[in-house]
Amino acid sequence: MKAIAVFCGSSSGNDNLIIEQSKLLGETFVSNDITLVYGGSKIGIMGTIAKAVIDGGGETVGVIPKFLQTKEIVNNDLTALIITDNMHDRKVIMYDKSDGFIIIPGGFGTMDEFFEITTWGQLGLHTKPIGILNSNGYYDALIEQCKVMVEKGFLKQENFEAVVVDSTINGLLDKMINHKPLPSPKWLNKEGL
């Protein structure tokens, strides 16, 4: 994986362990020569991971919709900054520029990005690995909810298991590297999409 999209919060939250792990993730990208693809902001967890990559001399690609492109938000120290017309185009470009996806703590926007990219994988539109970095148990409740979806018949076990989870950065990257993509759904007619 040469480039990984990280979906994360534009807020820093209030958990110092999450902030520190976000910084460590950026440093790990640099030491493994992985380009960071992310939402283009200089604030919150987004800003923390980007600063760690920039400070370490790594590559950063920010993708931000033009309505968010203000000097208070946009990070102008990136290797590349791509301005999109809207939020959907932002996700498409982040997908195109990445070999995999990592979800770290964030709010509704992070959940939107996670569920959309996971749904694309479930539908066979991509086979890129998706990982959840479960920083300090942040995603325990989400993982439990996914188990309820499986139990109630709304999510297939294999689709749930296609998303890899770890509380450590190196453990997560190892799982993503060894990821085996789901076969395309039999009912999906790709020509009809």
Side-chain angles (χ1 to χ4, degrees), residues 56-122:
E59 299 286 315
T60 52
V61 177
V63 186
I64 195 165
K66 60 186 168 189
F67 75 89
L68 288 177
Q69 187 190 4
T70 67
K71 63 181 179 178
E72 293 81 21
I73 294 176
V74 73
N75 191 328
N76 291 309
D77 297 325
L78 305 174
T79 308
L81 179 65
I82 300 168
I83 310 300
T84 65
D85 288 331
N86 54 57
M87 295 290 280
H88 179 72
D89 289 350
R90 177 196 221 181
K91 284 183 275 191
V92 171
I93 290 172
M94 290 176 75
Y95 163 80
D96 286 341
K97 299 276 183 195
S98 304
D99 303 312
F101 311 92
I102 292 178
I103 291 80
I104 63 176
F108 283 156
T110 304
M111 293 296 90
D112 170 64
E113 292 162 332
F114 167 66
F115 282 116
E116 184 155 1
I117 207 67
T118 304
T119 301
W120 292 358
Q122 180 179 311

Side-chain angles (χ1 to χ4, degrees), residues 8-67:
C8 58
S10 58
S11 171
S12 293
N14 57 16
D15 185 329
N16 287 332
L17 289 174
I18 289 173
I19 295 167
E20 285 304 310
Q21 195 173 40
S22 301
K23 180 181 175 192
L24 182 58
L25 180 61
E27 293 168 353
T28 303
F29 275 23
V30 173
S31 63
N32 287 282
D33 199 27
I34 297 171
T35 297
L36 168 67
V37 179
Y38 85 116
S41 177
K42 67 180 179 182
I43 61 174
I45 295 294
M46 281 193 204
T48 299
I49 188 171
K51 184 176 186 322
V53 174
I54 293 164
D55 289 351
E59 299 286 315
T60 52
V61 177
V63 186
I64 195 165
K66 60 186 168 189
F67 75 89

